[in-house]
Amino acid sequence: MRELLCGLLLAWLWLIPVAGAEDYLFPARPAGMGETRRLLIYGTTDLVAMRPLIEGFQQARSRVAVTYAELDSGVLYERFLQEQGSAGCCADVLLSSAMDLQLKLANDGYAQPFTPGPERPVGEASWRDEVYGFTLEPAVIVYNKAL
């Protein structure tokens, strides 16, 4: 009985929409005639941190409308996979702290290689020019020797 209740609870939790999953639109600002392009980014980073990056990108490329979908890492992964094969589907860029899921997507053939030019070196954190790490996060372990 206990296993049945746990299974039902997990199934019910799976159906609840993810709180805080929102899409934010940064419209293109075309200067004169020309075609507007679209860039769709799925990311786990808060909009507060992403806004300056997106706005800086748009200063250099004003004709690109950017949609940023802020998602949890597991939801990001599942949403990307569910959209495969759909018309007008999927994100152009995935930004996630779940490197295991990002590497799985790359190894399963969902990533396109990108080699930055010499004026913009990326550094050592890359996988087959398909997955890039661009942050440093310190890890600390504290333990009590007496225990």
Side-chain angles (χ1 to χ4, degrees):
M1 183 67 168
R2 184 173 155 181
E3 291 84 11
L4 176 62
L5 289 175
C6 288
L8 289 174
L9 177 62
L10 288 174
W12 178 72
L13 289 173
W14 185 260
L15 297 174
I16 296 174
V18 176
E22 296 186 45
D23 293 357
Y24 303 96
L25 175 63
F26 295 81
R29 297 174 293 238
M33 302 294 287
E35 183 179 337
T36 301
R37 300 182 71 190
R38 169 195 79 89
L39 177 66
L40 177 56
I41 303 171
Y42 291 173
T44 58
T45 303
D46 294 339
L47 180 65
V48 172
M50 287 301 298
R51 182 181 300 279
L53 180 66
I54 293 170
E55 289 173 349
F57 171 81
Q58 285 187 311
Q59 285 179 356
R61 292 165 184 83
S62 62
R63 294 184 182 179
V64 178
V66 177
T67 300
Y68 180 70
E70 185 180 329
L71 307 161
D72 291 332
S73 58
V75 174
L76 181 149
Y77 176 80
E78 290 298 328
R79 180 171 171 181
F80 180 80
L81 286 178
Q82 288 173 357
E83 292 176 348
Q84 295 305 304
S86 303
C89 90
C90 355
D92 301 299
V93 177
L94 301 179
L95 298 173
S96 175
S97 56
M99 290 312 302
D100 58 329
L101 299 177
Q102 300 304 317
L103 288 170
K104 178 164 179 25
L105 289 172
N107 288 338
D108 290 347
Y110 291 106
Q112 293 181 346
F114 170 78
T115 306
E119 70 281 357
R120 293 189 181 115
V122 172
E124 300 296 320
S126 68
W127 174 251
R128 298 185 323 208
D129 289 331
E130 296 175 351
V131 178
Y132 289 92
F134 55 90
T135 63
L136 295 175
E137 299 176 23
V140 177
I141 298 173
V142 178
Y143 65 97
N144 183 343
K145 287 183 174 182
L147 296 175

